[in-house]
């Protein structure tokens, strides 16, 4: 009877130990599973953070590249516009030099006209000047002309004072110096101004 109880007690201890072992194993397995889950969550979270960081870096890189490209395009467009402006300015300067050369050549050729032709031109310029003067003043003007022009006008019966500053025409000036009329080839070209330049441009450059 006593042996049976002892055996029963031993069996109970064995069963309890087995139950404890099973519980410990279950707890250990749960702990391992929980640890694996936590590790996986941590890895997933790290992967998400890394992915977001890579996406932000890529977006920032694209934004910087876009800004650099836009800046380059602005600088390129500015350089092209500046180059076009410079080219147009050079063209205009070249055209102006050509036109001015033509006008200068024209004045030179006028000065080289034979006396008879030049006297006829000077007389016409003088008559135009005389009519304009009479419409504006009743006083007698001083007639000024260059040395050659004064000599040719004198031969045509027109008295003129020699003034080295006057060429290719004549100047009427009041005795008090307040009124001055000029009719020279220089003044006529200046009066023609832009119209003459435009016509020369059209004929020279088409």
């Amino acid at each position: 009877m006593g042996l049976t109880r002892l055996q029963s007690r031993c069996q109970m201890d064995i069963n309890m130990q087995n139950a404890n072992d099973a519980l410990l194993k279950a707890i250990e397995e749960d702990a391992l599973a929980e640890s694996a889950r936590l590790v996986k969550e941590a890895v997933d979270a790290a992967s998400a953070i890394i992915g977001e960081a890579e996406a932000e870096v890529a977006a920032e890189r694209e934004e910087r590249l876009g800004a650099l490209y836009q800046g380059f395009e602005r600088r390129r467009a500015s350089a092209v516009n500046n180059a076009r402006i410079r080219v147009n300015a050079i063209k205009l300067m070249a055209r102006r030099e050509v036109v001015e050369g033509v006008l200068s050549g024209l004045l030179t050729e006028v000065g080289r006209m034979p006396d008879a032709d030049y006297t006829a031109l000077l007389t016409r310029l003088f008559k135009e000047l005389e009519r304009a003067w009479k419409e504006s003043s009743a006083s007698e003007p001083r007639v000024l002309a260059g040395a050659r022009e004064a000599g040719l006008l004198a031969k045509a019966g027109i008295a003129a004072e020699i003034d080295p500053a006057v060429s290719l025409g004549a100047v009427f000036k009041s005795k008090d110096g307040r009124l001055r009329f000029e009719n020279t080839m220089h003044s006529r070209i200046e009066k023609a101004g832009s119209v003459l330049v435009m016509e020369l441009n059209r004929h020279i450059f088409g």
Side-chain angles (χ1 to χ4, degrees), residues 9-63:
R9 181 66 179 270
C10 287
Q11 186 62 43
M12 288 177 63
D13 291 342
I14 292 171
N15 290 339
M16 185 175 291
Q17 183 65 40
N18 289 336
N20 289 336
D21 290 343
L23 179 61
L24 290 173
K25 185 176 180 181
I27 292 172
E28 182 179 0
E29 288 177 352
D30 287 344
L32 289 173
E34 181 66 14
S35 176
R37 184 181 65 78
L38 292 174
V39 169
K40 184 177 182 305
E41 288 180 356
V43 171
D44 291 344
S47 298
I49 292 171
I50 292 171
E52 290 177 0
E54 289 177 346
E56 289 179 1
V57 169
E60 185 176 354
R61 184 187 300 115
E62 288 296 324
E63 184 178 351

Side-chain angles (χ1 to χ4, degrees), residues 5 23 32 51 75 77 83 92-93 95 107 119 131 145 156 196:
R5 287 180 179 176
L23 179 61
L32 289 173
R75 290 193 295 273
L92 288 175
M93 288 177 62
R95 287 191 174 191
L107 294 175
T119 299
R131 284 194 298 271
L196 180 59

Side-chain angles (χ1 to χ4, degrees), residues 65-179:
L65 287 174
L68 288 173
Y69 180 76
Q70 290 177 2
F72 169 76
E73 283 297 309
R74 285 194 296 270
R75 290 193 295 273
R76 185 186 68 82
S78 177
V80 169
N81 288 335
N82 290 336
R84 286 176 178 170
I85 291 172
R86 287 195 296 270
V87 168
N88 289 334
I90 291 171
K91 286 182 178 178
L92 288 175
M93 288 177 62
R95 287 191 174 191
R96 182 177 178 180
E97 288 178 0
V98 170
V99 170
E100 287 178 350
V102 171
L103 294 176
S104 177
L106 173 63
L107 294 175
T108 300
E109 289 303 315
V110 170
R112 292 175 179 173
M113 290 173 65
D115 285 352
D117 295 335
Y118 195 30
T119 299
L121 174 62
L122 290 172
T123 302
R124 191 181 74 185
L125 293 174
F126 177 85
K127 295 297 183 184
E128 291 176 356
L129 197 56
E130 188 176 44
R131 284 194 298 271
W133 183 269
K134 287 180 179 179
E135 291 174 358
S136 301
S137 176
S139 64
E140 284 296 320
R142 292 174 58 199
V143 180
L144 307 177
R148 183 189 177 197
E149 289 79 4
L152 293 175
L153 287 171
K155 291 179 181 180
I158 302 169
E161 300 176 33
I162 296 177
D163 185 344
V166 180
S167 63
L168 303 179
V171 170
F172 279 18
K173 192 173 183 180
S174 63
K175 299 217 174 14
D176 60 8
R178 294 182 180 179
L179 194 59

